[in-house]
Amino acid sequence: MLRLGSKYGHLVHNIGCGCVNPDLQRASRRLEAFSRRSFLSSIGAAAIAGVLTKPSFAQTAAPPSKILFREVRLFDGKLGTVKDGAQILVEDGRISEVDMTNAPPPEDTTVIKCRNGVLMPGLIDAHWHAIFAAVPVNILLNGDPGIIFAASTAEADRTLSRGFTTIRDLGGPSFSFKQAIDTGLIPGPRIYPSGAMITTSGGHADLRLPGEIPRDGGKLSKGELFGGAAIVDDIGDLKMRIREQLLQGASQIKLVGGGGVSSPRSPLDVVTFSEEELRAGVEVAQDWNTYVTVHAYTSRAIRRALAAGVQSIEHAHLMDEDTAAMIAEKGAWLSTQPFLTAEDTGPLTGPSADRAQQLFLGTPRIYAFARKHGIKTAWGSDVLFSPALGPRQSMMLTHLANWYKNAEVLQMATSGNAELLALSNLRDPYPGKLGVIEEGAFADLLVVDGNPLDDIRLIEDPHKNFVVIMKDGRLHKSTL
């Protein structure tokens, strides 16, 4: 029965019991259905995203006009050393001064005393999937978009809280997601989006369900409708799909040159696009003043991509040394990931598990080739389909210490990766200096309690060891 009390009784005078009033019954049913859907959606999002951390929306607040970091030891992203006695002035989202003279703060400046912590640029992940990182693949193909983006929103906050202020998204519908971050609606890293992964039938990223094969005329699969992939089998469609990604704001284009690990029906040895097709894709990207990166594991797929003028290769875990030498000769980038054990990929079964073992065996070889031949090498984590794997992003970075000095690891994840991002040229969504601490650079900064040049494993526990996280001049975290 509807109980409003005597104060509001006149509003329902003579309508009888609320439980039998038709209008109220219909409203009640609608409200109940809405509440049930909302509740189930919330439960589903929590189940996918794991234990959601409380979002830190500090970055959306208007920052102080000037912030001065004092008592810092400076790692500038380029030099492999730490300078003592530095102070950094941030103004309007940029670094306005790097001072080694301990000059007094300007007027109206907020001073943060860093207690001799190491101040360094925000970390950059060159191979991340903002939408796919925390969501199981079966949910991506069949789940409600609200649940998917709720989980991705939580993961974006966690990504920034791990100190990654910029990511290059190598496949997924991240355009509006990027906009939500850029406008301060949700916290997260800067995103260099690729949009849909463009593949051929049977290539990696062709995740069509059995009922979607054969294709019914021009009907798109669920993965294509969601924006995760674009399946093309002729040059005309290839050019169109590339232009569609660029139209939506892609900063670079990702073409799939072969098979993959997480696509169980697409063997690693498969080569997909022809050289002519790859060259056509490169030409479209060049017309838009940006570049193509190609997913390729084998020497054959890599050589075909290089012959077509591709400027960046993703993965390459199965390449031979002659192919590595060709990457260096062409001046192309190798963007790869130090997969070492199943802890880095999560539990896999069937063909995917067997292929992952090939990656683990290939990882030491590709880094040995990269060092020997002086290949321009970028680092990425490529974490996929599990919220539990998110923290591996930090550990995947520290894996590099198996082949590089600690300073080199930090250089690769800051100024080095920033050089790769700059290939986006006029399609760069954040034109300016990233990955360095110098005048005019974006104020994406970390303060580390300790010296990661001495102990790179400090990065593995950002909750404890990152006492300040700043992005675009806004404090996402500060415990000082």
Side-chain angles (χ1 to χ4, degrees):
M1 180 175 179
L2 188 65
R3 300 182 184 274
L4 299 178
S6 59
K7 183 176 180 180
Y8 300 102
H10 65 285
L11 296 176
V12 293
H13 185 63
N14 292 327
I15 68 168
C17 174
C19 61
V20 297
N21 181 275
D23 292 332
L24 288 179
Q25 283 183 327
R26 284 192 292 271
S28 178
R29 285 194 295 270
R30 289 197 298 270
L31 180 60
E32 181 182 5
F34 174 79
S35 299
R36 186 182 296 113
R37 288 196 301 270
S38 299
F39 175 76
L40 291 176
S41 295
S42 298
I43 292 296
I48 295 169
V51 180
L52 302 184
T53 57
K54 183 179 180 181
S56 171
F57 290 99
Q59 69 163 17
T60 65
S65 58
K66 298 177 183 178
I67 297 177
L68 181 68
F69 292 93
R70 304 197 80 173
E71 302 174 9
V72 302
R73 293 180 290 168
L74 176 64
F75 176 76
D76 66 6
K78 289 184 175 180
L79 297 177
T81 58
V82 168
K83 298 178 182 178
D84 294 327
Q87 57 182 20
I88 310 299
L89 182 63
V90 172
E91 191 171 1
D92 298 326
R94 303 270 181 152
I95 296 170
S96 61
E97 186 176 358
V98 179
D99 175 43
M100 305 300 295
T101 68
N102 199 32
E107 293 184 3
D108 302 321
T109 299
T110 299
V111 176
I112 298 178
K113 295 182 179 180
C114 299
R115 306 169 188 169
N116 291 318
V118 170
L119 187 143
M120 60 176 286
L123 299 170
I124 300 172
D125 191 326
H127 194 126
W128 185 250
H129 296 273
I131 306 301
F132 298 163
V135 186
V137 66
N138 61 315
I139 301 298
L140 281 168
L141 294 177
N142 297 292
D144 182 273
I147 295 176
I148 293 169
F149 284 99
S152 300
T153 296
E155 184 57 45
D157 180 51
R158 292 192 291 262
T159 302
L160 183 56
S161 295
R162 289 191 290 269
F164 291 92
T165 54
T166 301
I167 61 100
R168 187 176 62 143
D169 190 290
L170 267 294
S174 60
F175 297 120
S176 58
F177 199 68
K178 171 188 178 298
Q179 184 179 12
I181 292 172
D182 289 347
T183 58
L185 185 61
I186 61 174
R190 301 176 189 273
I191 296 179
Y192 279 72
S194 300
M197 294 179 279
I198 301 175
T199 184
T200 64
S201 293
H204 178 65
D206 181 354
L207 297 177
R208 285 179 291 174
L209 302 173
E212 297 176 298
I213 302 173
R215 188 188 288 275
D216 180 9
K219 185 178 180 181
L220 299 180
S221 65
K222 290 183 179 180
E224 290 175 283
L225 289 171
F226 183 65
I231 303 170
V232 299
D233 289 300
D234 61 60
I235 287 181
D237 280 350
L238 171 66
K239 290 181 175 180
M240 178 177 65
R241 296 303 182 204
I242 291 175
R243 290 173 179 139
E244 286 177 346
Q245 309 317 306
L246 293 165
L247 176 65
Q248 295 176 86
S251 52
Q252 65 282 323
I253 294 298
K254 180 181 179 181
L255 300 183
V256 175
V261 174
S262 57
S263 48
R265 292 174 292 169
S266 183
L268 283 178
D269 62 281
V270 168
V271 180
T272 52
F273 289 111
S274 68
E275 182 179 328
E276 181 186 11
E277 290 168 327
L278 290 170
R279 190 177 301 280
V282 168
E283 289 174 355
V284 173
Q286 289 175 340
D287 287 346
W288 278 70
N289 293 296
T290 186
Y291 71 102
V292 165
T293 190
V294 168
H295 163 108
Y297 283 104
T298 66
S299 294
R300 185 179 174 205
I302 295 166
R303 286 172 175 267
R304 184 175 292 182
L306 293 173
V310 168
Q311 292 180 270
S312 177
I313 303 294
E314 304 298 318
H315 308 307
H317 291 74
L318 305 184
M319 72 175 173
D320 57 31
E321 186 168 0
D322 287 344
T323 303
M326 181 179 292
I327 295 176
E329 179 185 349
K330 295 284 187 179
W333 280 85
L334 171 62
S335 171
T336 191
Q337 307 78 38
F339 293 116
L340 296 179
T341 68
E343 288 184 306
D344 296 327
T345 62
L348 298 171
T349 58
S352 292
D354 295 338
R355 293 171 198 167
Q357 291 298 321
Q358 297 180 57
L359 266 60
F360 303 151
L361 292 173
T363 293
R365 292 171 48 247
I366 56 172
Y367 283 108
F369 293 158
R371 300 229 64 166
K372 179 178 179 180
H373 294 281
I375 298 172
K376 293 185 292 187
T377 306
W379 168 86
S381 61
D382 198 17
V383 171
L384 279 172
F385 305 142
S386 171
L389 284 177
R392 300 297 299 181
Q393 184 180 26
S394 303
M395 296 176 190
M396 291 286 285
L397 178 56
T398 61
H399 283 350
L400 291 177
N402 287 290
W403 305 281
Y404 298 92
K405 296 177 181 178
N406 292 348
E408 293 174 321
V409 172
L410 296 181
Q411 288 170 318
M412 190 181 297
T414 54
S415 61
N417 277 356
E419 287 183 37
L420 172 59
L421 298 182
L423 292 182
S424 292
N425 195 7
L426 298 182
R427 301 285 75 77
D428 191 330
Y430 310 104
K433 298 177 184 178
L434 285 169
V436 294
I437 297 178
E438 56 187 56
E439 291 184 13
F442 285 112
D444 295 356
L445 305 171
L446 309 176
V447 176
V448 186
D449 185 13
N451 187 352
L453 273 70
D454 295 333
D455 183 7
I456 196 66
R457 292 176 66 89
L458 291 171
I459 291 173
E460 295 181 6
D461 191 355
H463 176 73
K464 175 184 177 183
N465 299 317
F466 291 174
V467 292
V468 171
I469 298 173
M470 171 180 277
K471 178 196 155 199
D472 203 28
R474 291 171 166 82
L475 290 168
H476 179 74
K477 172 186 177 181
S478 179
T479 59
L480 294 175

